[in-house]
Amino acid sequence: MLPHQGVRRRPGQGPVPGTWIPTGSPYAEACGAPWFVLTAKYGLLAPDDVVGPYDVYLTDQSGQYRAAWGEWVVAQLAERRLLAGVTVEVHASEAYTAPLREPLRRLGATLHEPLAGLRQGERLAWYGAAPEPDEDDVPDVAPLLDASNSVPPAQFLADGRTAAARPGLYSWWVDQAGAHDLSAGLGHRVTPGLVYAGRAGGVRPNGEASANTLWGRIGEMHLGGNRQFSTFRLTLAAALSESHEAPVDEASVTAWMHRHLRVAVLPLPPEAVAAGEAALLRLADPPLNLRDVPATELRRSLSRRRSALNAASRGTA
């Protein structure tokens, strides 16, 4: 979890939009695990949630407010997944982490603070900057661009955890009927073929290896998870909900994936995953990806629908 802060206003100034502190977001994305944004006013937000300007700082609040805020944030997190036995990594100051310790402990979770005690400059150095890979270090991602290498979700699951218990890359493919559904929901044409691609595991920007695997990402998060913990499921739900009066439920998203999608995987050494993902996104330009790809009208539409779906979900929680 990463902090988001508002902008201080001078007396007489009008509202100023909040500013995102971006330092940790590449690290969070590279980890391949679900991540969220901590806010003093709105509690827990998804990375692509849109909120209005605010001028609330946790350090300015009373001890009673901070304690209640910690209980609220952990309750929001507990709605998204079972916390027993989970390690929650928080990249924030003591003002944010202290109120979370006891509520997380009561639910059986462990709070990990990798930046604890570091000053601002030391935090920036901790994140570091991943060096650009040499051309010779970029893996061949051609197998993920070939539909003949994709399999139905049921076959991926039947092959079992062992077959995909490695880091690597994946690509999702949609059939003609599924492409029609997505096009109708997004209001822009989606052609049959490769529509989404991503990574599982690899090396984080700070040099640590992620424990995530292709099985964890595809078998557990994409096919067995929910949209709070899977960007891909959120994307599909946002598109498929457009023709429904209420957001499409998780079981319907899973059933739709089994009917209309196929997946290809490419296991890789951890150190090759980041460079491979960059090459895959550049070559494939999957229409349902929003990060590290050019902006398009379809992607703008998808981003708006995802934000609206997240807002609707919070309103009915």
Side-chain angles (χ1 to χ4, degrees):
M1 292 191 287
L2 302 170
H4 179 285
Q5 296 181 356
V7 173
R8 294 281 188 187
R9 291 180 293 174
R10 301 185 188 93
Q13 259 191 329
V16 180
T19 56
W20 164 238
I21 299 176
T23 310
S25 54
Y27 169 86
E29 294 281 3
C31 289
W35 64 284
F36 302 93
V37 181
L38 288 171
T39 72
K41 182 173 182 179
Y42 299 102
L44 198 71
L45 296 176
D48 58 356
D49 281 345
V50 177
V51 297
Y54 66 92
D55 188 15
V56 179
Y57 289 77
L58 209 54
T59 52
D60 294 343
Q61 309 307 314
S62 67
Q64 184 178 9
Y65 181 101
R66 293 196 297 270
W69 177 88
E71 297 285 352
W72 178 38
V73 167
V74 172
Q76 289 177 298
L77 188 61
E79 287 181 348
R80 291 165 166 82
R81 69 158 298 161
L82 183 67
L83 292 178
V86 170
T87 297
V88 178
E89 187 170 308
V90 180
H91 293 229
S93 67
E94 177 70 7
Y96 285 85
T97 57
L100 302 175
R101 291 193 185 103
E102 178 58 23
L104 285 172
R105 186 199 64 78
R106 289 201 305 269
L107 294 181
T110 300
L111 176 64
H112 178 48
E113 305 171 65
L115 305 184
L118 298 183
R119 293 171 294 192
Q120 182 66 18
E122 294 171 327
R123 291 180 177 221
L124 293 173
W126 187 91
Y127 287 117
E132 292 295 323
D134 294 333
E135 187 174 342
D136 292 341
D137 294 333
V138 178
D140 180 12
V141 297
L144 294 176
L145 304 175
D146 185 346
S148 67
N149 292 319
S150 64
V151 300
Q155 182 176 332
F156 176 87
L157 295 174
D159 289 341
R161 179 187 298 269
T162 303
R166 293 179 57 189
L169 306 174
Y170 59 84
S171 58
W172 280 101
W173 299 70
V174 67
D175 64 16
Q176 186 170 356
H180 180 271
D181 291 342
L182 296 174
S183 300
L186 294 172
H188 295 274
R189 185 167 183 262
V190 177
T191 59
L194 199 165
V195 289
Y196 189 83
R199 63 186 283 176
V203 178
R204 298 167 175 167
N206 70 341
E208 295 180 357
S210 167
N212 203 1
T213 65
L214 290 164
W215 176 264
R217 176 52 57 93
I218 298 168
E220 296 177 355
M221 295 175 67
H222 288 180
L223 294 172
N226 57 61
R227 62 177 179 263
Q228 282 79 21
F229 281 88
S230 168
T231 300
F232 185 43
R233 289 183 69 91
L234 173 62
T235 291
L236 296 177
L240 299 174
S241 294
E242 286 302 299
S243 58
H244 295 72
E245 292 183 2
V248 63
D249 60 55
E250 298 292 354
S252 296
V253 172
T254 300
W256 187 93
M257 294 175 73
H258 279 270
R259 287 196 304 271
H260 299 297
L261 298 185
R262 297 172 66 91
V263 64
V265 299
L266 178 64
L268 290 172
E271 61 273 13
V273 171
E277 182 188 33
L280 177 59
L281 294 179
R282 184 178 66 254
L283 293 170
D285 192 23
L288 300 187
N289 282 73
L290 297 183
R291 183 174 57 87
D292 298 331
V293 289
T296 65
E297 287 304 314
L298 184 151
R299 290 180 175 124
R300 293 187 184 96
S301 174
L302 173 57
S303 181
R304 289 192 298 269
R305 284 163 168 76
R306 284 182 16 172
S307 295
L309 181 58
N310 276 330
S313 297
R314 291 197 303 273
T316 58

